[in-house]
Amino acid sequence: MSDSEQTFLDDAVREVLPELPAATKSILIEHLQSIGVETYDDLQFIEEADLMTALRPVQARKLLSIWKRKYQTPENSSSSSVNASPAQSLSLLSVSPRSSSSSSSTSPGLDTQWDDNFEIPWTKFPDDLMHALERGKRPGPTLRRQMVRIVVTEMVRKCPHVGKKHSTEVAKKMVAKYPKSLQDVIEGDIVGPGYHSLVKQLQNRIENVRRTSTPKIRKRKCQTDDSDLTDEVTLEERAAMQDTYGCIKWNVKFLPSEETQESQQEKIDNLKIMFQNSDANPEEVKSLMKSTFYTQRQHVNQGKSIKYLREEWPFWFDELGMSVHFKELTGIDLKETFIRNLDLKGKRLLNYMTTVCVNKSKKFFQTYARLLRIRGQQSGCSDDFKDMVLLLLSYFDEKEESMFFYVEDTCLPEEVQLEQVPLTPAVIVCGQSCYSSTRYMLSLDRNLINTNISSFISALCLMFGSYYCFNIHYPSELASTLEFLQRCFFSINPEKGTKVENKNSKRRLTVNPRVITLIQELSDHEWREG
């Protein structure tokens, strides 16, 4: 490849994807040259499949969007809009966030030809709608209504007086902006030609929006415009608040575009084989766990048993695998976040408990004195952390045996009396106390799912992560301690909801008041000490 070819391709890629790593850009440029790209004009003929060897789907679509808009000739533009498939049409018409925002910032009152210049706001459509259109599938009625509302809202933003024109004329202009192939996909053969149906929907919506506001009888809330008896209730809506609490990707709706059910199963099998080898590459394990996150969530949300999940996903139950799933699920680095917050807040919390709380409660003082006797001569940061957790349980008057189950230090996994272990995630302490133990196990639903955990911090992180990864509610016996750890040490702070099991119909407060009280008292203590 000549220097001139290298330079123009480098510029063409960099102006759209400036943050693309150098190695990836080099691979992409070499590939483009190998398939015959020699000039800027050649870029208009690139298709998404040509870019998938080096880029992720969204990156590829960004390049296509800009290149085809910038380098497409008028002749090619007119013909491609007629013959393009639904997926190709979307690639042609989608706009980058930058170009979308610049066009929407134009003052609507000054654009006298807004209807001719109007662009369909593809980037504002729901993911479900775009997913259906890209695959040539007919969207459901709710998605079609959403699409019409979004388009009309954007029209009104461009021209506040849109209703003063005849609504049918405006609607026809808007529908003409959809590729013919997409018009047919949106409505299909069920209701006749898509063009006429879309025109009618847009026309009705325009007239509804511009209708004068006269007093009218309010509809009951259960009869909203969005209600549709034929639509299924989403999985998120059916899920209890405790399941989705604190999660950002609780239910992944679609497989990654580069994945199939067959490729997912192949990766699951590879993970099982790798688990049998002690020298498995950690980075490869992380990559496979991340790319199969969709199937992991499907299995959990379908109610698969812990035993089944343990057999299908052995890496999921150790630190490496759970850290990947927890990060995808909540956006939080499990152990890293905990250790960082422990360094920032651990000593201050322990200081408050050992200097203030011991003087407020006789029971708490007795617990502290007992822990000092058990701890004996042992010292160090790790033991300070154990003090903190055990004192937290005492402060909230919650039982240690609900979180920790003690066995002999020589106890084998098959010797653990699981019928006595809590059903919720519990740390099995191999030794007379947390201070003397050098080995821990983890139990879920009275199944031992990790039998060789070397540190107390790792055991606690795995226990906490299990509540989120496997849709487990906080037991009421540990509600305050777990929420305090969640908010102060794992940095999960939802504005509403709760992860505590609801044993009665009483309305629960958004945040546990006992947790708020401790946080406030700790803050006041630090201020006075400072």
Side-chain angles (χ1 to χ4, degrees):
M1 180 166 56
S2 67
D3 291 340
S4 60
E5 289 173 338
Q6 173 75 37
T7 301
F8 98 80
L9 284 173
D10 184 82
D11 291 341
V13 173
R14 187 174 62 251
E15 68 178 355
V16 182
L17 301 173
E19 304 299 326
L20 193 67
T24 303
K25 182 165 64 175
S26 178
I27 293 172
L28 175 62
I29 290 174
E30 289 182 6
H31 177 68
L32 290 172
Q33 196 274 338
S34 70
I35 62 175
V37 177
E38 297 177 348
T39 66
Y40 278 108
D41 289 340
D42 293 337
L43 296 175
Q44 64 184 297
F45 303 109
I46 299 297
E47 297 183 355
E48 187 172 330
D50 298 327
L51 304 174
M52 297 310 294
T53 57
L55 299 178
R56 296 193 297 271
V58 172
Q59 293 174 322
R61 290 164 193 163
K62 282 183 179 179
L63 278 179
L64 285 175
S65 171
I66 300 301
W67 286 355
K68 294 201 173 186
R69 286 163 58 83
K70 187 170 183 178
Y71 304 118
Q72 195 169 48
T73 61
E75 294 81 6
N76 288 329
S77 177
S78 60
S79 61
S80 62
S81 63
V82 175
N83 300 320
S85 67
Q88 291 170 329
S89 300
L90 286 175
S91 295
L92 284 169
L93 292 173
S94 59
V95 295
S96 66
R98 182 178 302 176
S99 63
S100 176
S101 61
S102 63
S103 62
S104 62
S105 63
T106 305
S107 175
L110 299 178
D111 191 354
T112 57
Q113 296 183 324
W114 70 270
D115 47 353
D116 293 324
N117 300 328
F118 185 82
E119 293 181 344
I120 302 296
W122 302 102
T123 57
K124 296 184 179 182
F125 287 170
D127 292 341
D128 291 8
L129 175 61
M130 294 301 292
H131 183 270
L133 295 179
E134 287 173 349
R135 286 155 180 76
K137 295 181 180 179
R138 180 174 178 265
T142 296
L143 289 177
R144 295 199 301 277
R145 283 199 302 273
Q146 282 183 281
M147 178 189 67
V148 169
R149 286 171 182 246
I150 291 170
V151 170
V152 173
T153 297
E154 195 69 14
M155 290 165 57
V156 172
R157 183 177 301 164
K158 290 284 187 182
C159 180
H161 307 296
V162 60
K164 292 186 176 180
K165 278 192 174 184
H166 194 278
S167 58
T168 303
E169 176 189 347
V170 176
K172 286 181 179 180
K173 277 196 173 185
M174 295 304 105
V175 174
K177 295 178 181 293
Y178 283 85
K180 180 64 169 64
S181 54
L182 287 188
Q183 296 172 20
D184 295 337
V185 165
I186 291 168
E187 293 298 347
D189 298 328
I190 296 178
V191 293
Y195 177 87
H196 300 292
S197 181
L198 270 176
V199 168
K200 190 65 177 177
Q201 285 179 293
L202 285 166
Q203 177 188 353
N204 290 340
R205 182 60 185 168
I206 293 170
E207 292 175 352
N208 286 341
V209 168
R210 304 312 308 170
R211 187 176 296 153
T212 57
S213 299
T214 56
K216 57 178 71 68
I217 299 174
R218 290 182 176 271
K219 292 183 179 179
R220 289 166 51 191
K221 286 187 176 180
C222 62
Q223 298 176 337
T224 62
D225 289 342
D226 289 331
S227 62
D228 192 322
L229 297 178
T230 64
D231 293 340
E232 292 186 1
V233 179
T234 64
L235 193 56
E236 291 94 333
E237 292 171 335
R238 293 201 305 269
M241 179 65 75
Q242 289 95 331
D243 289 349
T244 56
Y245 176 82
C247 300
I248 60 173
K249 289 171 64 177
W250 182 82
N251 178 40
V252 186
K253 296 181 180 179
F254 309 114
L255 270 170
S257 59
E258 67 274 13
E259 292 284 339
T260 63
Q261 294 293 347
E262 291 74 18
S263 68
Q264 291 277 291
Q265 187 58 53
E266 182 180 349
K267 291 179 178 180
I268 293 173
D269 295 338
N270 288 341
L271 283 166
K272 290 179 183 177
I273 295 171
M274 293 170 68
F275 188 76
Q276 304 301 321
N277 303 324
S278 58
D279 60 345
N281 185 328
E283 292 305 317
E284 186 177 357
V285 172
K286 288 181 182 179
S287 176
L288 289 173
M289 285 295 293
K290 185 174 182 179
S291 63
T292 53
F293 177 77
Y294 165 86
T295 304
Q296 294 163 30
R297 291 315 305 167
Q298 292 295 306
H299 285 179
V300 171
N301 294 340
Q302 289 166 4
K304 302 292 187 184
S305 68
I306 292 297
K307 184 177 180 181
Y308 173 88
L309 295 174
R310 179 71 175 81
E311 292 172 353
E312 284 293 292
W313 306 95
F315 275 112
W316 196 351
F317 297 86
D318 66 11
E319 284 191 73
L320 185 63
M322 187 174 290
S323 66
V324 174
H325 188 97
F326 190 86
K327 176 64 180 292
E328 291 293 303
L329 179 66
T330 66
I332 302 292
D333 289 307
L334 181 59
K335 191 173 182 180
E336 293 84 346
T337 299
F338 181 79
I339 291 176
R340 182 174 65 251
N341 284 324
L342 184 62
D343 291 339
L344 292 172
K345 307 172 186 178
K347 287 185 178 180
R348 291 181 289 172
L349 175 60
L350 188 58
N351 174 265
Y352 173 73
M353 290 186 163
T354 57
T355 60
V356 177
C357 295
V358 291
N359 298 318
K360 288 186 174 182
S361 166
K362 181 179 178 180
K363 186 176 181 180
F364 185 88
F365 175 79
Q366 291 172 340
T367 299
Y368 179 53
R370 177 177 63 84
L371 293 179
L372 287 180
R373 288 195 303 271
I374 296 173
R375 176 171 174 170
Q377 300 301 314
Q378 301 180 56
S379 62
C381 179
S382 174
D383 292 308
D384 288 345
F385 166 61
K386 295 170 186 177
D387 281 344
M388 186 193 78
V389 174
L390 295 172
L391 288 175
L392 267 176
L393 287 164
S394 178
Y395 175 89
F396 290 119
D397 197 22
E398 295 178 339
K399 295 181 179 180
E400 186 177 330
E401 55 266 31
S402 297
M403 184 178 291
F404 302 108
F405 184 81
Y406 295 90
V407 298
E408 296 293 331
D409 57 355
T410 57
C411 182
L412 298 174
E414 56 270 20
E415 296 174 338
V416 178
Q417 297 179 349
L418 290 170
E419 68 276 3
Q420 299 179 17
V421 178
L423 277 169
T424 49
V427 176
I428 311 295
V429 182
C430 300
Q432 294 183 346
S433 73
C434 292
Y435 300 104
S436 61
S437 177
T438 58
R439 183 168 63 95
Y440 306 86
M441 294 184 266
L442 184 64
S443 166
L444 268 68
D445 291 350
R446 292 181 178 147
N447 291 279
L448 290 179
I449 51 88
N450 192 320
T451 59
N452 190 26
I453 307 172
S454 59
S455 79
F456 185 81
I457 289 180
S458 295
L460 191 95
C461 287
L462 285 169
M463 178 208 67
F464 182 84
S466 298
Y467 281 102
Y468 282 82
C469 291
F470 306 112
N471 294 350
I472 302 172
H473 306 170
Y474 295 161
S476 56
E477 297 83 3
L478 294 173
S480 299
T481 301
L482 288 172
E483 183 165 341
F484 185 85
L485 290 172
Q486 164 211 309
R487 292 185 178 277
C488 290
F489 290 94
F490 290 99
S491 299
I492 299 176
N493 292 288
E495 294 181 359
K496 59 182 180 179
T498 177
K499 197 167 177 62
V500 182
E501 62 180 349
N502 193 359
K503 289 187 174 182
N504 53 52
S505 58
K506 290 182 180 179
R507 178 178 175 270
R508 288 192 175 273
L509 298 175
T510 302
V511 182
N512 187 316
R514 301 186 70 195
V515 172
I516 295 177
T517 299
L518 177 56
I519 293 173
Q520 290 175 340
E521 289 181 351
L522 181 60
S523 177
D524 292 341
H525 172 71
E526 291 175 347
W527 181 80
R528 288 193 297 269
E529 289 293 312

